Amino acid sequence: MRAVAVAHPNVALVKYWGKRARAGNLPATGSLSLVLGGLATETSVDFDPALARDRVLLDGREDPETTSRVTACLDLLRGEAGVSARAAVLSRNDFPTGAGLASSASGFAALVTAGAGALGLHLKPQRLAEIARLGSGSAPRSLLGGVVLLTNRGQTTVCEQVAAPADWPLEIVVAVTTSGPKATSSREGMARSEQTSPYYDSWVQTHGGDLEAGLAAVRARDFPALADIAEHNCLKMHAVMLTTRPPLIYWTPATLACLHRVQELRRDGVPVFFTVDAGPQVKAVCLPGVAGDVAAALAAVPGVLQVLRSPLGEGARLRANAD
Ligand code: DP6
């Protein structure tokens, strides 16, 4: 009753910020993302009848909020398998946790993959995605690889791969500007934005057009068009965050300096664009061949602590011969 799974974080190009319903953690809008194959979460799930409750260690630490989300996902898996045993869950990220690098997405994608594997379940991908979504709305996107589209359909969400990593081998450079966890979780931040930002309604109303434009750009492999819509959608989400009360200011001075640097590089003819999630790190998406130059340029920006390079990655999978 034990299995180990690996999943990669993803970064949204057309983003999810806000919920249609708290029950089922249904997003207000669809989203389009890239899976970052160079960063990984490895999670083991061990169902053990001797345990009185689920025990969850994330990078060696226990956190009640994470444990209750994990238990919600595991309860559904236990229900599918007709098993009541509690589980010991160990999860490790090889990148900074909870600082806007989508660790919850890779974490819950790895969790449900390992949990289903440990119970010997062969669930339909759609069911697994619904269980992962309870943990984190962006987690279903990490179950698949490459470029992934998540859309709302009735009372659920559906994910599909739009391009495999080999179809359009984009590279991502991550500029890390702060290593600690963020002050406000996405879940709490979204709830606050829905209630208080005067821009939230326009964010939702204009989102369908952004998603269509992003999807068309990926399908046509039109990098300039993707750069245009991804930067616009990112800044629009941050406009909602900034106008939330109390405000959600995820950027540091180094974040902003990186955004300027990426725009300068593009003006100089380098095919790169930026995006930033609910944290201070900047992700620079590059056409093949320029990631080395972009990484060097961002490493030289004052305040950048570390630069990571990543190709597109595969979806979550069980690790064979887990020990
Ligand atoms: C800014 O998936 O972390 O990264 O569903 O409440 O767990 P919950 O939120 P989460 O939010 C991701 C927000 C984002 C944008 C995105 O990834 O689309």
Side-chain angles (χ1 to χ4, degrees):
M1 298 243 280
R2 178 175 188 270
V4 181
V6 176
H8 305 291
N10 66 73
V11 56
L13 303 180
V14 179
K15 297 178 185 294
Y16 145 55
W17 191 255
K19 301 192 201 281
R20 203 153 45 106
R22 309 267 143 220
N25 197 27
L26 288 165
T29 62
S31 51
L32 182 71
S33 64
L34 303 177
V35 172
L36 307 186
L39 283 63
T41 299
E42 188 178 276
T43 301
S44 67
V45 178
D46 189 352
F47 289 94
D48 178 353
L51 290 173
R53 61 178 184 90
D54 294 322
R55 302 292 305 268
V56 183
L57 285 182
L58 173 54
D59 283 336
R61 277 186 298 276
E62 217 171 347
D63 159 61
E65 158 73 14
T66 305
T67 302
S68 80
R69 287 202 210 182
V70 166
T71 292
C73 294
L74 292 181
D75 279 348
L76 292 180
L77 292 173
R78 281 186 278 254
E80 295 280 350
V83 161
S84 62
R86 306 286 111 184
V89 177
L90 294 177
S91 190
R92 280 210 169 276
N93 294 324
D94 67 2
F95 57 91
T97 299
L101 284 175
S103 57
S104 64
S106 51
F108 283 100
L111 174 83
V112 298
T113 303
L119 293 169
L121 289 168
H122 296 284
L123 297 177
K124 292 204 170 94
Q126 174 62 19
R127 180 69 185 136
L128 203 61
E130 284 168 353
I131 297 173
R133 191 186 65 221
L134 279 192
S136 175
S138 52
R141 302 189 312 230
S142 279
L143 290 172
L144 302 177
V147 185
V148 178
L149 173 70
L150 182 150
T151 44
N152 279 327
R153 200 168 296 164
Q155 281 313 297
T156 190
T157 51
V158 174
C159 264
E160 63 186 283
Q161 185 182 64
V162 182
D167 294 339
W168 202 16
L170 300 171
E171 276 192 76
I172 300 94
V173 174
V174 182
V176 177
T177 69
T178 311
S179 57
K182 61 192 169 201
T184 311
S185 72
S186 296
R187 192 155 295 194
E188 188 189 330
M190 282 181 205
R192 227 197 265 169
S193 293
E194 289 162 26
Q195 285 155 14
T196 63
S197 170
Y199 300 155
Y200 180 75
D201 288 346
S202 6
W203 159 253
V204 173
Q205 276 156 24
T206 56
H207 201 278
D210 290 3
L211 198 57
E212 268 174 41
L215 191 57
V218 172
R219 290 208 163 118
R221 312 283 187 262
D222 183 342
F223 192 83
L226 188 60
D228 181 66
I229 194 64
E231 290 189 352
H232 169 69
N233 185 267
C234 165
L235 294 173
K236 194 159 53 176
M237 179 183 75
H238 282 274
V240 172
M241 292 165 161
L242 290 167
T243 51
T244 292
R245 287 179 159 167
L248 298 164
I249 310 174
Y250 286 112
W251 298 357
T252 64
T255 310
L256 192 54
C258 287
L259 303 194
H260 284 297
R261 190 72 187 97
V262 167
Q263 292 212 313
E264 245 169 51
L265 288 166
R266 198 157 74 250
R267 274 197 295 276
D268 292 345
V270 180
V272 57
F273 64 85
F274 66 73
T275 189
V276 186
D277 283 326
Q281 331 301 4
V282 176
K283 288 94 172 189
V285 180
C286 310
L287 272 183
V290 302
D293 290 345
V294 170
L298 293 181
V301 170
V304 170
L305 305 176
Q306 192 189 358
V307 165
L308 311 167
R309 270 179 73 171
S310 174
L312 292 189
E314 300 296 337
R317 63 228 173 249
L318 283 173
R319 229 189 60 186
N321 306 322
D323 40 40

